[in-house]
Structures are given as structure tokens and as C-alpha cells.
Amino acid sequence: MKFVTNTVEGDNRIFVIDESVKDAAAGKLEAFRERYATNEALDWYVVYPRFMQTPSTPGKSIIFFGKRSDLDMSQHGNDNMDHLARQDVLLGKALNTLEPVVSMQHIGALQQVTVKNTCSEPITVKSITMTTTTAKLSGEFRMHLTEAKPFVPSDAINSSSEFVLDVTDGTPIASGSSAKFYFVTPPFKVAAGENVTFSITADKGTSVKTMTAQSELSFLSGHRYNANVDFAVDESRAKTVSDVVMNVYKFQLEGCNSGLDLSTGEVIDLYNISEENQKRVDVVTVQPNVIDFIAPSNNDHFSYLQGTSFTSIPNWKTRNTTSFRRTYLGKDQFNAITTYSEIVKAYDEADTSWTINDTAGNESQNKFNGLKAAQAGYLVIAAKTSDGRYALIFFKAVGAYKQAPEWSNMTITIDVKVKDNTPASQQ
């Protein structure tokens, strides 16, 4: 049932049942009234925030960590914690009573990232990404309300090992100064030898810090954890980045089983792939009749592709996370881009609310349907890799897919613009 409140008594809020319910919910409300009238003591379970209209499974409720297309989860300004009211998942219960007084407990772990600017000029933080090797940091999770340990990390839907915090209205951080940024993740563990990576994206570029656990680390419910990250970029290159001419790579993709290295423009065969080449794959293309573009980190997609080269991807030593955004650029605008700063700008200004293949589009989206993108006129897709590289993908041509008896895989021809990695001394 849904409860609403507008009354406060002392330190407590008073909640009342929302009676503006319809259909199936109305029947449940009537059943509750009949049982309550018998003066039979009840067990009460309270979850905040509320994301479900009605739990799909008795005794369970869906909670959410990370970005949502229907709610603003971003941090507004440096050192601001207002957004945590939407991120902080709370659970409470009162058993065997008709007059419940419920104390709420934190389910998530609060992450505090303190960013220090070690550059000579001010920086403005745009986003912070936290990534783990295996632990789930975002997605939907089922709460097992009646159990002693209600949070079960393995009972997850559309989960990811990446958490992205967008920062809006940020103010410049002076050289040598720091600012704090906050977000709430599920409780999780990091095994010895596994990594935790923080990527700080600012107006001057992206700085990455990776830490390897020397022993098992536990991030517990209701606790705060602080990570200190120095923001540093190669300023000699950053100052000339707007003068760096782009490399343009051309791919013709047929069917499936291909990996793309966005930096070199190489198509990598996924069969019997070496560990060194695993590190280079930014995008995997899948299926002969639609050609999905997917980051290797996408567990949900690759888990069901049995009997193909993709079944090995969940076991790769390195699984890059690449996110995609829709731009509104056309062919002429794509061709006119000649500098890296224009690519970064195109990504920053891209649409984070688009939907392709029933997958919400935002910075944490790590797959999209290439055919539907091309057919819908989404001609240019902006991409960002896990190590902070930006690229633009232009859908140049789409070939036909033929079924039996002529059988032929679809082909998609794309151009990709990325940063020229030629050393500055050779330019």
C-alpha cells in the first residue's frame, strides 16, 4: 500500500493510507481494512523511496541505486548533499502491532569523493564514475523484507558494476583546493586483488584513479566511505587539445563476433581472443540482423548468448565500460568536426533521455541497437570509454539483411572520429 504524509509530531512523521487507489490496489486496500478491523496484530514493512506501484512478489519490494530517467539523481553544486534524499534507500519494520512506530535504517553505503585540483588552473567537475571489478553498484534490487538480511546483492535486475554521478551547477575548484561529491551505492564487497576505479570528468579532461584491494574490503549499509582523488591531467596536451585534428576510422561490420578498438580503428576477432586484445575492445557488435553495439562490461546481455564467442566475455580479465549518448548531429556536422574538444562537447551536450531497443539512454547506458538507431535517424552517437576517451560514431550506410534461402548478414558502415594519439612532438 502507498502512504502519504504532511504531518510532523516531534521527531516523527505521521503517515496515512493513500485512499486514491484504483483497480487491483483498491481490492488490497479493502482486504487490509477488513483484517485491521479484527484487531489482529500486523507486521509492517516500510521502504523509502517508493519506486513500485504494487510489489510483484509478496514480501519483496524493488529498490534502486544509480541514475533514473524519471528522477533527477544528480548533485547540484560542489559539496551539496540535497540529492541524497532521492538516493538514500531506507527500510523499517514494526512487528505484531496495530499502532506501528517505525525506525528507518539505511540500506546503502554513502560514498564521499573528495576531489583535489592539482592542476595549475581551476577545474569544474562534470561527473564522477565509480567502477568495480565484479561488485554491483547500480540497478534494481529486490528487498527480502521478512528475512533477517533483507538486502540480497545477487537478486538484482539490470545491474551494473558502474555508478555514475552527474554534477550540475558545479563551481570552479581553484588550484590546490578540494570539493566533495556524494552518492549512495548498495552495500558490497571487493575481494583481494580486485580494483575500485574513480574517473573524474571535468572541463579540463578526465582523471582516473584505480586502487587494488590488498585484502577483502566491505562497504556496509549505513556507513560513510571517503575516497581522496587528485585531479591531474597532462596540461601541456590539455592546452593544445582543441588544436588536435581527429583521426577518422571507417568500419564495415557484418553480422556478429566483432570487437572495436575505438582508438586505433581496428576490428578485433573475438574468437580465442588474447588478454592483451581484451583490454583493447571498447565495443562489441552482436547479432546478424540488428547489430547491437554493447560494452564488454554488460553482464545481462552476454550471459544468454550460449554457444558463441560471447560466452567467454564475462570471464575476460579486462571488460571495458563504454557508454553511449544520442546526439542530434547530421552528416555535414559530423564531417565538419576537426578537433577533440568538439567531440567532448558533443558528448556533454548529447541527449540522455533517448530510448533504443527499450533501453533507457543515459551515461550509464552501455548498449544500443545499431539498426534502430540508423532507421530512427540517430545518425551520430557519442561514446565515452571507461578510461575517459571520447568518440563519435556516424552511421554511414545500412545494408540489407536477407533470410533463407539467400541468407546474408546485415552490414552497417560507420565512421568513427577519435582523438589523434600522435605525440605532440610529431604533430
Side-chain angles (χ1 to χ4, degrees):
M1 290 180 299
K2 178 183 176 182
F3 289 77
V4 294
T5 180
N6 57 10
T7 305
V8 177
E9 290 186 3
D11 294 331
N12 296 325
R13 285 185 175 271
I14 308 301
F15 288 80
V16 297
I17 296 175
D18 180 7
E19 299 194 31
S20 61
V21 294
K22 300 178 181 179
D23 304 328
K28 293 183 179 181
L29 176 57
E30 186 59 33
F32 166 77
R33 285 174 173 159
E34 292 178 359
R35 184 173 179 184
Y36 191 84
T38 65
N39 291 321
E40 179 183 353
L42 301 175
D43 294 340
W44 306 76
Y45 299 89
V46 181
V47 178
Y48 171 90
R50 175 178 172 270
F51 294 122
M52 297 181 65
Q53 291 298 324
T54 304
S56 57
T57 305
K60 296 183 180 180
S61 180
I62 295 291
I63 60 174
F64 194 95
F65 293 94
K67 296 173 64 173
R68 292 178 62 91
S69 60
D70 57 340
L71 287 175
D72 179 11
M73 296 291 194
S74 58
Q75 177 171 327
H76 294 269
N78 305 350
D79 306 312
N80 191 346
M81 302 180 75
D82 292 347
H83 60 295
L84 296 181
R86 296 180 293 277
Q87 291 191 7
D88 191 14
V89 178
L90 304 175
L91 172 67
K93 60 183 178 180
L95 305 180
N96 195 33
T97 180
L98 286 175
E99 298 180 355
V101 176
V102 181
S103 296
M104 306 296 284
Q105 306 295 325
H106 299 280
I107 296 300
L110 175 60
Q111 309 297 332
Q112 174 183 300
V113 181
T114 303
V115 178
K116 181 178 180 180
N117 178 17
T118 63
C119 299
S120 60
E121 299 180 356
I123 63 168
T124 302
V125 173
K126 302 296 185 181
S127 68
I128 294 178
T129 302
M130 181 180 185
T131 308
T132 62
T133 305
T134 58
K136 302 303 182 184
L137 300 184
S138 61
E140 296 180 343
F141 299 83
R142 287 190 183 90
M143 290 289 290
H144 297 238
L145 302 178
T146 61
E147 298 181 12
K149 295 182 177 181
F151 182 79
V152 181
S154 60
D155 196 354
I157 308 168
N158 299 323
S159 58
S160 171
S161 297
E162 175 185 89
F163 191 108
V164 179
L165 173 72
D166 286 332
V167 181
T168 60
D169 305 321
T171 54
I173 304 172
S175 177
S177 298
S178 301
K180 293 181 174 61
F181 303 90
Y182 305 91
F183 54 93
V184 180
T185 67
F188 64 95
K189 293 184 178 181
V190 177
E194 293 188 338
N195 294 333
V196 177
T197 299
F198 290 93
S199 299
I200 313 300
T201 299
D203 56 344
K204 297 294 190 295
T206 298
S207 184
V208 179
K209 179 178 182 180
T210 297
M211 297 166 283
T212 301
Q214 302 304 308
S215 59
E216 183 180 85
L217 301 177
S218 295
F219 294 77
L220 305 176
S221 300
H223 288 67
R224 178 190 298 206
Y225 299 90
N226 182 53
N228 296 307
V229 181
D230 289 347
F231 185 93
V233 295
D234 184 349
E235 293 187 83
S236 63
R237 294 289 284 158
K239 291 178 181 178
T240 60
V241 73
S242 61
D243 299 323
V244 177
V245 178
M246 294 300 91
N247 281 335
V248 181
Y249 299 119
K250 301 180 184 296
F251 298 95
Q252 184 171 20
L253 308 174
E254 178 178 349
C256 54
N257 301 337
S258 297
L260 306 183
D261 181 342
L262 295 179
S263 292
T264 65
E266 185 177 346
V267 178
I268 300 173
D269 190 347
L270 300 184
Y271 284 108
N272 300 316
I273 187 171
S274 66
E275 289 187 12
E276 191 61 32
N277 277 341
Q278 292 171 12
K279 299 177 183 178
R280 299 173 53 204
V281 176
D282 297 310
V283 182
V284 175
T285 61
V286 180
Q287 299 181 5
N289 61 335
V290 294
I291 306 192
D292 285 336
F293 285 63
I294 307 172
S297 60
N298 188 310
N299 281 321
D300 295 328
H301 193 98
F302 297 122
S303 62
Y304 72 83
L305 294 170
Q306 302 299 322
T308 73
S309 59
F310 301 109
T311 57
S312 68
I313 291 178
N315 299 319
W316 284 8
K317 295 294 184 181
T318 302
R319 300 174 60 195
N320 291 325
T321 299
T322 302
S323 55
F324 305 103
R325 288 182 173 185
R326 171 192 173 182
T327 77
Y328 291 90
L329 303 178
K331 176 183 177 181
D332 292 341
Q333 293 166 304
F334 175 84
N335 290 335
I337 289 177
T338 58
T339 62
Y340 185 62
S341 58
E342 291 176 281
I343 289 183
V344 176
K345 181 180 179 182
Y347 183 91
D348 288 340
E349 295 179 351
D351 190 349
T352 61
S353 62
W354 55 285
T355 299
I356 294 180
N357 201 24
D358 298 324
T359 301
N362 49 53
E363 191 167 345
S364 63
Q365 174 170 321
N366 52 25
K367 76 170 184 177
F368 68 93
N369 181 308
L371 174 61
K372 290 188 177 181
Q375 290 176 336
Y378 305 159
L379 296 180
V380 181
I381 302 295
K384 178 183 176 183
T385 64
S386 53
D387 58 355
R389 290 174 288 121
Y390 294 82
L392 292 179
I393 302 171
F394 170 57
F395 286 86
K396 194 171 185 179
V398 178
Y401 168 70
K402 297 180 181 179
Q403 299 187 11
E406 298 181 4
W407 286 117
S408 66
N409 289 334
M410 171 180 292
T411 59
I412 290 182
T413 303
I414 61 174
D415 288 350
V416 177
K417 286 195 174 185
V418 296
K419 182 179 179 181
D420 185 351
N421 289 315
T422 304
S425 59
Q426 300 178 24
Q427 292 181 0

